[in-house]
Amino acid sequence: MRELGGDQVTEAVAGCVAALRPAVARDWTEVTAGGLDWNCHETALHVADDLVAYAGNLAGRAQDRYVPFELKLDEGTDNSGLLQVIETTGALLAAAVRTAPRHVRAFHPYPFRSADRAGFAAMGIAEVLLHTHDMTQGLGLPYRPAEELAESVLAYLFPHVQPGPTPWRTLLWATGRGELPGRAPVTDWRWNNNLVIPAERLDLVGIRPAEARDLRLGGDGGFEWIEGGPYEGTRDAAGFLLKAYEGGVHRPEFGVFALVRREDGRAIGGIGFHSAPDDEGRVEIGYDLTVAARGHGYATEALRALADRAFARDGVRSLFATTEVANIASQAVLLRAGFSKVSEDDEGLAFELRKK
């Protein structure tokens, strides 16, 4: 799967325009867009409106709402002009994505009220792919985007959805636009930008399946790491995340997080859950830091933030962690974060933190 950026936004928009151009002479206001309540003209305008809104929020670093402006067509704009507007607003989003630093986040309401540049690129691409499908269905035109684009949209925005053998069909099914053998129809859906948990000096940035795959294959996962990173434990955890995603059991709120230092936007380690809580509300955690980041209290800070977030959720009653007998530093981190030692044997020590 590909990392999503400005080039992929441009590719999606070009595919949309090419698919719709053969029907520019038709009256789009008289044709319903697929299974939507909108006609094709309204749907095309919606695509352009979303593209420029995403560009505006990301470029303007909006934090609590959409930037207050509205896209309005000149009177008498025909379908060719409308396609030009889609091209232009797509170019604006592509430029905003290319120029935004990796760590910058801006407002989007679902589900955690922010998205980074990859998230905005993914949302823009999703709007283009899905609504081009809707419009071409109504207009009776052929359309099938690149499977790699659909695969990346799923891995960035639908981490809770098990990927299927054909990404485009899976994306259509996940958004209530088609069927997949063995899966119930989808009637209610929403995409899922990654969670960021703030700590005092760090942000715990949720790692998405697309980024986990890159980390597992030896890449940087889209993060800028300090010297020595990412450490082996983070790569291993990314592999477990990817396996859960491919098995359809990944729950992103109980996933893996990169520890990103707020002062410079650089990643220094990883932390996360081994899985979702069990029936008793117990969930195991793990963490690691690059060597250069150790000894500054970052692990304790991150562990406290993760624990607070976990205990704020219903159904989580205790956190559990293990460490080797010789790893005195890790044991000290757990004790400083409020954990208590609950067992010890030749293989290691176990610690637990219970919800108060």
Side-chain angles (χ1 to χ4, degrees), residues 7-128:
D7 290 349
Q8 287 69 46
V9 173
T10 300
E11 177 185 347
V13 169
C16 165
V17 171
L20 295 174
R21 197 175 296 282
V24 292
R26 295 177 60 181
D27 184 354
W28 289 4
T29 65
E30 295 297 321
V31 179
T32 301
L36 304 181
D37 294 330
W38 299 331
N39 62 48
C40 288
H41 184 276
E42 291 170 327
T43 305
L45 185 57
H46 169 79
V47 169
D49 196 35
D50 276 349
L51 291 172
V52 75
Y54 294 161
N57 270 26
L58 184 57
R61 312 293 195 258
Q63 293 301 306
D64 57 2
R65 62 172 181 167
Y66 280 107
V67 177
F69 68 91
E70 183 178 1
L71 178 67
K72 184 177 180 181
L73 299 178
D74 288 344
E75 187 174 350
T77 299
D78 60 11
N79 291 334
S80 293
L82 182 50
L83 290 182
Q84 185 180 23
V85 172
I86 291 176
E87 286 182 305
T88 302
T89 53
L92 291 172
L93 177 57
V97 168
R98 290 187 183 108
T99 55
R102 171 65 178 82
H103 64 278
V104 163
R105 298 184 74 87
F107 174 78
H108 187 274
Y110 306 131
F112 304 116
R113 299 187 67 79
S114 75
D116 61 6
R117 66 185 186 187
F120 277 106
M123 290 187 293
I125 292 166
E127 293 283 356
V128 171

Side-chain angles (χ1 to χ4, degrees), residues 1 26 35 54 64 71 96 104 127 152 159 167-168 199 210 233 242 264 268 312-313 344:
M1 69 187 69
R26 295 177 60 181
Y54 294 161
D64 57 2
L71 178 67
V104 163
E127 293 283 356
S152 292
W168 177 232
L242 189 61
D264 58 6
I268 63 171
R313 297 187 61 84
E344 179 177 355

Side-chain angles (χ1 to χ4, degrees), residues 2-348:
R2 284 184 279 179
E3 181 179 358
L4 293 183
D7 290 349
Q8 287 69 46
V9 173
T10 300
E11 177 185 347
V13 169
C16 165
V17 171
L20 295 174
R21 197 175 296 282
V24 292
R26 295 177 60 181
D27 184 354
W28 289 4
T29 65
E30 295 297 321
V31 179
T32 301
L36 304 181
D37 294 330
W38 299 331
N39 62 48
C40 288
H41 184 276
E42 291 170 327
T43 305
L45 185 57
H46 169 79
V47 169
D49 196 35
D50 276 349
L51 291 172
V52 75
Y54 294 161
N57 270 26
L58 184 57
R61 312 293 195 258
Q63 293 301 306
D64 57 2
R65 62 172 181 167
Y66 280 107
V67 177
F69 68 91
E70 183 178 1
L71 178 67
K72 184 177 180 181
L73 299 178
D74 288 344
E75 187 174 350
T77 299
D78 60 11
N79 291 334
S80 293
L82 182 50
L83 290 182
Q84 185 180 23
V85 172
I86 291 176
E87 286 182 305
T88 302
T89 53
L92 291 172
L93 177 57
V97 168
R98 290 187 183 108
T99 55
R102 171 65 178 82
H103 64 278
V104 163
R105 298 184 74 87
F107 174 78
H108 187 274
Y110 306 131
F112 304 116
R113 299 187 67 79
S114 75
D116 61 6
R117 66 185 186 187
F120 277 106
M123 290 187 293
I125 292 166
E127 293 283 356
V128 171
L129 299 188
L130 294 169
H131 288 315
T132 302
H133 165 80
D134 298 333
M135 290 183 281
T136 53
Q137 271 206 321
L139 293 164
L141 298 171
Y143 176 68
R144 190 179 185 93
E147 291 289 343
E148 281 188 301
L149 274 182
E151 181 185 32
S152 292
V153 167
L154 286 166
Y156 274 90
L157 295 180
F158 295 85
H160 51 292
V161 171
Q162 183 178 17
T166 307
W168 177 232
R169 284 189 64 192
T170 304
L171 181 58
L172 292 177
W173 167 81
T175 57
R177 289 172 167 84
E179 298 180 353
L180 275 184
R183 301 198 196 185
V186 173
T187 58
D188 185 34
W189 64 274
R190 182 166 287 169
W191 54 50
N192 194 320
N193 277 295
N194 62 331
L195 171 64
V196 174
I197 303 171
E200 183 180 350
R201 296 168 295 168
L202 305 170
D203 286 320
L204 283 60
V205 180
I207 295 176
R208 293 165 282 211
E211 296 158 337
R213 178 172 294 180
D214 185 62
L215 283 166
R216 195 70 189 103
L217 293 174
D220 59 15
F223 297 92
E224 182 183 356
W225 293 85
I226 66 170
E227 181 182 356
Y231 205 63
E232 180 181 351
T234 300
R235 294 198 188 280
D236 290 343
F240 294 134
L241 186 159
L242 189 61
K243 184 177 180 180
Y245 170 64
E246 292 172 345
V249 295
H250 176 50
R251 288 178 60 183
E253 65 272 30
F254 291 105
V256 182
F257 300 81
L259 304 182
V260 178
R261 203 162 52 191
R262 202 172 296 128
E263 67 180 27
D264 58 6
R266 302 181 72 187
I268 63 171
I271 192 169
F273 303 93
H274 288 203
S275 65
D278 63 19
D279 293 340
E280 296 180 355
R282 186 170 178 262
V283 58
E284 185 172 357
I285 61 168
Y287 53 88
D288 72 359
L289 292 179
T290 58
V291 175
R294 296 173 186 173
H296 300 283
Y298 290 130
T300 302
E301 179 182 324
L303 188 52
R304 287 170 176 163
L306 189 70
D308 288 345
R309 177 74 190 192
F311 287 142
R313 297 187 61 84
D314 293 336
V316 179
R317 296 184 179 86
S318 67
L319 302 182
F320 177 75
T322 61
T323 181
E324 297 174 351
V325 174
N327 195 341
I328 303 301
S330 182
Q331 296 165 33
V333 167
L334 290 163
L335 292 171
R336 285 195 297 268
F339 284 68
S340 299
K341 187 172 71 172
V342 292
S343 68
E344 179 177 355
D345 57 31
D346 293 340
E347 295 184 1

